[in-house]
Amino acid sequence: MEVKESAIAYSKQKISIEEYLEMENAALEKHEYYKGEVFAMSGAKLPHIKITGNLFSELKNKLKGKKCQPYGNDLRIHIPSNTLFTYPDISVICGEVITRNNDEYNALNPTVIIEVLSKSTKNYDRGEKFKLYRDIKTLKEYILIDSESLHIEVFRLNEKNHWELEEYNDANGSVEIKAINENILIADIYENVSFYKEV
């Protein structure tokens, strides 16, 4: 999903979290919330959609029957410490899903978050959004997948609780997701994506 400028309907004044949730539950499109501001989220281009679908399918198959489960961009993630409400492309949650006030809408405890990068969102996803995501105490890996070229970035928490980056560019390789002890073939992630055929 791509984030637009502040949503016109809400841009005249800052609103509370409860007002946002009430509006969001009645809305036809998704919105991000941060510190009183609301941002509309637009649809994505075909490569973005294919990559997200491919990876979600792979994760769903590999994690079937296991304690960690993947969720698509209908699952809203909330970070109480910085107020963010957002919809990652894919989240993986291990064990019970903990939600805000047990509301079954706003998940608090993702182990892995995956964002598929678009031209308009890549700087936000790599910068400010990653900074906000780092406030999630359960988060172990943050994965960014380029939708315009074959490039994957995996940020992992190491044993010293510092974030380390590993990059993947090999069309014949695989991506290791250590937090869930799984490897995903890059060819499967980029299957049927137009530029991948040129590699």
Side-chain angles (χ1 to χ4, degrees):
M1 301 289 286
E2 298 188 9
V3 181
K4 296 180 180 177
E5 297 299 319
S6 293
I8 294 173
Y10 313 132
S11 62
K12 293 181 180 179
Q13 61 181 10
K14 291 190 175 183
I15 66 172
S16 69
I17 286 175
E18 295 307 323
E19 288 172 319
Y20 159 73
L21 292 174
E22 184 178 348
M23 292 175 179
E24 191 69 352
N25 291 340
L28 297 178
E29 61 178 10
K30 296 182 177 76
H31 301 85
E32 230 179 48
Y33 175 94
Y34 180 59
K35 290 187 175 179
E37 292 190 76
V38 177
F39 303 86
M41 303 183 75
S42 65
K45 291 183 178 180
L46 196 55
H48 185 294
I49 294 168
K50 286 183 177 180
I51 290 167
T52 304
N54 289 343
L55 183 50
F56 183 83
S57 178
E58 288 296 313
L59 288 169
K60 191 72 175 172
N61 289 334
K62 287 179 177 290
L63 295 175
K64 186 175 182 180
K66 299 182 180 180
K67 70 171 187 174
C68 299
Q69 291 295 306
Y71 298 86
N73 63 14
D74 283 330
L75 181 65
R76 190 163 60 223
I77 298 293
H78 175 48
I79 309 173
S81 61
N82 60 41
T83 77
L84 181 69
F85 287 84
T86 190
Y87 299 84
D89 288 311
I90 299 173
S91 305
V92 179
I93 296 178
C94 297
E96 180 183 359
V97 180
I98 300 171
T99 59
R100 180 179 182 268
N101 299 327
N102 297 315
D103 61 12
E104 296 192 345
Y105 277 110
N106 303 287
L108 305 175
N109 61 322
T111 301
V112 180
I113 288 178
I114 301 168
E115 296 283 14
V116 178
L117 301 177
S118 300
K119 190 173 184 179
S120 62
T121 64
K122 60 175 60 178
N123 291 335
Y124 173 54
D125 287 337
R126 284 197 182 103
E128 181 64 22
K129 199 167 194 180
F130 183 29
K131 182 179 178 182
L132 295 173
Y133 280 154
R134 292 200 297 270
D135 285 340
I136 302 172
K137 297 187 184 301
T138 57
L139 189 66
K140 303 300 182 189
E141 285 181 83
Y142 180 50
I143 301 173
L144 300 173
I145 303 175
D146 201 324
S147 66
E148 298 180 305
S149 65
L150 197 154
H151 185 70
I152 298 172
E153 300 163 89
V154 179
F155 294 89
R156 297 189 187 94
L157 268 183
N158 63 22
E159 62 277 359
K160 295 182 179 179
N161 215 36
H162 295 152
W163 288 95
E164 293 181 338
L165 169 63
E166 185 168 1
E167 298 180 82
Y168 297 84
N169 300 291
D170 183 1
N172 298 311
S174 62
V175 175
E176 183 180 14
I177 308 178
K178 289 186 177 181
I180 56 173
N181 196 30
E182 296 291 348
N183 286 275
I184 311 290
L185 293 175
I186 290 175
D188 290 335
I189 295 173
Y190 284 102
E191 183 181 8
N192 293 323
V193 177
S194 57
F195 71 79
Y196 180 74
K197 298 173 185 177
E198 302 168 6
V199 175

